[in-house]
Amino acid sequence: LARGIQHTAVRQAHRKYEPNFHDKYGNLVLLGGAAVFTTVWGYVLTQLGIEWGLSPVGRITPREWRE
Amino acid sequence: MLASRAFSLTGRRSICTSLCLRAHGHAGVVKAEDYTLPAYVDRRDVPLPEVAFVRDLSAQQKALKEKEKASWTALSIDEKVELYRMKFNETYAEMNKGTNEWKTVLGGVLFFLGLTGVILIWQKHFMYGPIPHTFSEEWLSAQTKRMLDMRVNPVEGISSQWDFDKNEWKK
């Protein structure tokens, strides 16, 4: 008997393959991973209060410092 | 087999070689392990593998192999396909077919990179103390004006980005 994998019961030119993990959950894993990534890093980059040390150019309005 | 024929010609029975033993069906010779025998492989660069895919044929399949010895025009389409599937596992199309594995890989990578971000959150919340007061808006604005007044890095640096006539950052 064939040491094959799928049932060769149906005689067809092309075998029907059982969907594997990637067929079943690939889209879910991809979108889920992207969602986790964007939420976490969106929060880290903007809300957490980390000082990223960005350039003052175009961002800071100079203010008189002499007393 | 040849060796035993030679022995009977000479009319003498000499010591059997291991080949003879196998011909007589004696035990004492270890059955060849699968991995030592020629193997079937589905590879694009091996169009005709060393053995057929199906090793042990059923009675039905054996009958089909017999029919194959006659004229091939007598074979139906289904029989031809069955003969193909006996000899080969996957077709080239099936071999070359892509998968959706990249989705799992990329999704997994992004997820674990997200976990790295969680580590940063934990660090900021539980580990790091407050940042120096010199990063506050009012300090930075005063600091920036002082740097511009001093003309710090006027060639390519910060002072070159400030328009001193219009009193604004250059566009």
Side-chain angles (χ1 to χ4, degrees), chain A residues 1 22-23 27 60 63 65, chain B residues 56 100 103-104 138 149:
Chain A
L1 237 45
H22 312 300
D23 296 324
N27 288 323
I60 302 288
R63 181 178 71 83
W65 54 273
Chain B
D56 308 308
N100 284 317
K103 294 179 188 172
T104 311
E138 56 176 39
D149 290 346

Side-chain angles (χ1 to χ4, degrees), chain A residues 1 4 12-13 15 17 22-23 26-27 29 33 37 40-41 43-44 48-49 51 56 58 60-63 65, chain B residues 53 56 81 85 89-90 94 100-101 103-104 107 110 113-114 117-118 121 124 135 138 141-142 145-146 149 162 169:
Chain A
L1 237 45
Q12 286 182 339
R15 280 206 196 114
Y17 279 98
H22 312 300
D23 296 324
N27 288 323
V29 172
F37 181 84
V40 169
W41 281 96
Y43 178 74
V44 167
L48 193 53
E51 176 56 52
I60 302 288
T61 309
R63 181 178 71 83
W65 54 273
Chain B
F53 177 57
D56 308 308
V81 171
R85 288 294 177 182
N89 180 19
E90 289 182 314
E94 290 163 357
N100 284 317
E101 186 183 355
K103 294 179 188 172
T104 311
L110 290 174
L113 287 179
V118 170
I121 294 172
K124 179 68 180 161
F135 283 106
E138 56 176 39
S141 52
K145 179 135 201 347
R146 185 163 173 274
D149 290 346
W162 179 259
W169 292 110

